[in-house]
């Protein structure tokens, strides 16, 4: 009988040890163990974030003590979304073998959680905290603007708030640069380089200074995680950038001063087709702009002055809009009193004409002489005025 008790006790001990070990990660898995306050035995889910979509992995119910547990066998190091709802979740970066500990408040997980046992997830948390701090500062600017509406000095207030916004943006971007410099071999830097500030991408492959960070990160991750899908996606993005840059250089070679301006045909708001070549015999300023472009709209009064000064001297402007909404385009033409010819394909930045003329930003202008040859590109309005005086003479 005594032996039977010992045998049963041994079985219980073996079962207990096996159960404990099953809740620890091995070299093929990772474990997430969490304890949340203010939970009402809610359901909590775990999704994998691929480069293209979100893949549901598992869900469980938080127990009466606020605890939950996941064990996953991933293919590779990856990003995961852990949350209680679509508005209450956190992002994790987990590797095989990691035992991740999560603490926080179930009702405000993103702003209260702490994470241990995963270096990548700790870095993601740092990024999340900093962007939330920046957004809080921006929100405070918005409240000031709302209170100032209707005040006589609203324009000065707006100017001051715009300046403050740019400072917040620049400060956060500098933080991200330091983050990437310090964690170049971590996939957490992928989150950093793709982070957005409202609707705006913080790092842009169209900016040479930013490209340095994309290429630095691409090189480091190809060494650290050459087979990881997130690394491959970034590498493809850089390869695509290099291809576009090469095409841009080829396009620029065709747009050198003294060469014939490439011809194109677009429609006016009324649906009439107008080609650049139809204006041959006049000095033409191709003005790339859009109704949504604030710098363009601010420049338009100067363009009106320029047009009025030279329109009777065999000069015209051909406005090429990068709009996508016809009504907004027409309204801007009318409000800004732009009385010259306007054309557009309403394809935004995908406009073939914008690509033909290698337009990287707007406003942007190309000055063409009577023979249809390029005289100048991208001149500021004062320089443009002087160039016009020179050509007219």
């Amino acid at each position: 009988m005594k032996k039977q008790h010992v045998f049963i006790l041994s079985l219980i001990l073996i079962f207990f040890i096996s159960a404990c070990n099953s809740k620890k990660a091995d070299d093929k898995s990772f474990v997430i163990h969490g304890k949340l306050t203010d939970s009402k035995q809610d359901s909590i889910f775990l999704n994998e974030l691929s480069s293209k979509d979100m893949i549901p992995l598992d869900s469980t119910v938080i127990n009466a003590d606020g605890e939950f547990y996941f064990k996953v066998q991933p293919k590779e190091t990856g990003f995961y979304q852990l949350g209680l709802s679509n508005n209450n979740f956190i992002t994790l970066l987990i590797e095989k073998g990691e035992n991740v500990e999560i603490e926080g408040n179930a009702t405000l997980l993103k702003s209260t959680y702490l994470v241990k046992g995963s270096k990548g997830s700790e870095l993601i948390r740092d990024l999340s905290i900093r962007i939330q701090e920046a957004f809080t500062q921006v929100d405070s600017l918005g409240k000031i603007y709302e209170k100032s509406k209707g005040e006589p000095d609203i324009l000065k207030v707006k100017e001051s708030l715009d300046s403050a916004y740019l400072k917040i943006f620049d400060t956060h971007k500098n933080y991200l640069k330091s983050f990437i410099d310090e964690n170049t071999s971590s996939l957490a830097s992928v989150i950093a380089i793709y982070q957005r500030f409202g609707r705006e991408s913080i790092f842009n492959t169209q900016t040479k200074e930013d490209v340095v960070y994309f290429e630095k990160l691409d090189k480091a991750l190809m060494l650290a995680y050459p087979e990881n899908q997130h690394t491959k996606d970034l590498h493809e993005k850089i390869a695509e950038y290099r291809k576009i840059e090469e095409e841009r250089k080829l396009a620029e070679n065709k747009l050198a001063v003294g060469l014939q301006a490439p011809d194109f045909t677009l429609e006016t708001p009324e649906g009439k087709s107008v080609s650049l070549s139809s204006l041959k015999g006049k000095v033409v300023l191709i003005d790339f702009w859009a109704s949504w472009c604030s710098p363009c709209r601010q420049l338009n009064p100067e363009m009106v002055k320029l047009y009025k000064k030279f329109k009777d001297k065999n000069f015209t402007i051909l406005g090429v809009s990068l709009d996508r909404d016809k009504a907004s385009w027409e309204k801007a033409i009318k409000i800004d009193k732009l009385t010259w010819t306007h054309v557009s394909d309403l394809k935004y930045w995908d406009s073939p004409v914008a690509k033909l003329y290698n337009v990287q930003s707007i406003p942007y202008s190309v000055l063409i002489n009577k023979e249809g040859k390029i005289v100048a590109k991208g001149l500021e309005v004062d320089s443009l005025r002087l160039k016009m005086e020179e050509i007219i003479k």
Side-chain angles (χ1 to χ4, degrees):
M1 196 69 178
K2 199 171 183 178
K3 287 182 179 179
Q4 188 177 2
H5 287 156
V6 171
F7 177 71
I8 291 171
L9 188 63
S10 297
L11 285 178
I12 293 171
L13 187 60
I14 290 168
F15 175 79
F16 178 75
I17 291 170
S18 298
C20 288
N21 286 339
S22 71
K23 290 196 173 186
K24 291 291 181 183
D26 54 38
D27 58 356
K28 294 181 180 179
S29 67
F30 67 77
V31 164
I32 299 175
H33 173 252
K35 187 164 186 179
L36 304 180
T37 59
D38 286 350
S39 169
K40 298 175 182 177
Q41 295 184 281
D42 305 296
S43 176
I44 189 165
F45 60 81
L46 182 69
N47 298 329
E48 183 179 1
L49 300 173
S50 76
S51 57
K52 295 179 175 63
D53 52 23
M54 186 168 60
I55 305 163
L57 292 181
D58 200 358
S59 65
T60 189
V61 174
I62 302 170
N63 69 22
D65 295 321
E67 293 185 282
F68 64 90
Y69 164 84
F70 291 105
K71 188 170 185 176
V72 179
Q73 289 190 338
K75 292 180 181 178
E76 58 186 359
T77 301
F79 297 102
Y80 299 88
Q81 188 185 77
L82 177 74
L84 292 91
S85 71
N86 291 335
N87 298 318
N88 189 21
F89 64 87
I90 59 174
T91 301
L92 304 170
L93 169 59
I94 311 178
E95 302 199 23
K96 293 176 183 178
E98 290 187 331
N99 292 288
V100 188
E101 296 286 334
I102 304 287
E103 292 181 4
N105 185 294
T107 60
L108 296 166
L109 186 57
K110 182 177 284 188
S111 58
T112 63
Y113 86 100
L114 298 172
V115 58
K116 294 190 300 184
S118 170
K119 177 62 177 174
S121 297
E122 291 172 20
L123 289 172
I124 297 294
R125 180 179 178 274
D126 292 342
L127 286 170
S128 178
I129 289 171
R130 289 300 290 259
I131 192 69
Q132 289 304 318
E133 288 175 352
F135 286 162
T136 299
Q137 291 175 311
V138 171
D139 285 344
S140 68
L141 298 181
K143 289 175 183 176
I144 293 171
Y145 178 72
E146 288 299 320
K147 287 181 180 178
S148 302
K149 278 185 176 178
E151 298 293 328
D153 60 345
I154 182 63
L155 292 178
K156 287 185 178 180
V157 171
K158 187 178 183 302
E159 186 179 338
S160 175
L161 293 176
D162 287 345
S163 176
Y165 173 86
L166 290 174
K167 188 174 181 180
I168 295 168
F169 179 91
D170 290 342
T171 298
H172 186 69
K173 186 170 184 176
N174 288 333
Y175 160 75
L176 291 179
K177 287 178 179 178
S178 298
F179 182 95
I180 294 169
D181 287 337
E182 294 167 11
N183 302 284
T184 316
S185 297
S186 172
L187 284 168
S189 289
V190 172
I191 297 290
I193 208 160
Y194 286 140
Q195 203 172 73
R196 298 180 71 85
F197 206 83
R199 296 182 181 181
E200 186 176 0
S201 295
I202 297 175
F203 288 90
N204 195 318
T205 52
Q206 292 185 355
T207 306
K208 288 184 180 180
E209 181 187 350
D210 291 351
V211 168
V212 171
Y213 282 85
F214 277 103
E215 292 185 330
K216 180 192 296 187
L217 187 56
D218 173 50
K219 184 178 180 180
L221 292 181
M222 284 300 291
L223 290 173
Y225 299 95
E227 298 304 316
N228 189 280
Q229 191 57 50
H230 297 285
T231 299
K232 289 179 179 179
D233 289 339
L234 177 65
H235 190 67
E236 287 175 12
K237 186 179 180 72
I238 297 302
E240 181 64 21
Y241 158 74
R242 288 180 180 135
K243 180 183 175 183
I244 291 171
E245 185 63 13
E246 199 60 41
E247 290 173 353
R248 188 194 68 78
K249 287 179 180 177
L250 288 173
E252 194 62 29
N253 289 338
K254 296 176 182 178
L255 296 168
V257 170
L259 294 182
Q260 199 75 22
D263 195 20
F264 60 87
T265 302
L266 290 174
E267 290 188 355
T268 66
E270 297 76 29
K272 179 185 175 183
S273 293
V274 175
S275 63
L276 175 64
S277 57
S278 68
L279 301 175
K280 196 170 183 179
K282 290 187 175 185
V283 175
V284 181
L285 179 68
I286 306 175
D287 176 36
F288 290 94
W289 75 294
S291 67
W292 48 261
C293 169
S294 295
C296 302
R297 302 295 294 276
Q298 291 169 8
L299 182 65
N300 277 344
E302 295 301 319
M303 298 297 282
V304 170
K305 290 178 185 176
L306 186 76
Y307 179 69
K308 286 180 177 178
K309 183 173 182 179
F310 295 104
K311 68 175 182 174
D312 295 327
K313 299 179 180 179
N314 213 21
F315 166 76
T316 192
I317 297 176
L318 180 61
V320 179
S321 168
L322 301 192
D323 272 285
R324 48 189 164 191
D325 178 68
K326 186 179 180 182
S328 299
W329 174 38
E330 291 179 311
K331 185 177 179 182
I333 293 171
K334 185 176 181 180
I335 291 173
D336 293 357
K337 300 178 181 177
L338 312 180
T339 56
W340 47 86
T341 304
H342 292 273
V343 292
S344 180
D345 50 24
L346 298 175
K347 291 183 179 179
Y348 195 51
W349 285 105
D350 291 327
S351 170
V353 177
K355 292 176 181 178
L356 178 67
Y357 276 81
N358 199 21
V359 179
Q360 303 294 310
S361 62
I362 52 177
Y364 181 76
S365 61
V366 179
L367 187 60
I368 299 167
N369 66 15
K370 297 175 185 178
E371 289 74 40
K373 293 183 178 180
I374 296 171
V375 176
K377 300 177 295 181
L379 293 180
E380 297 290 333
V381 68
D382 290 336
S383 300
L384 185 58
R385 194 176 289 110
L386 290 173
K387 194 69 179 176
M388 285 296 305
E389 296 280 4
E390 179 186 322
I391 292 173
I392 296 301
K393 284 180 181 178

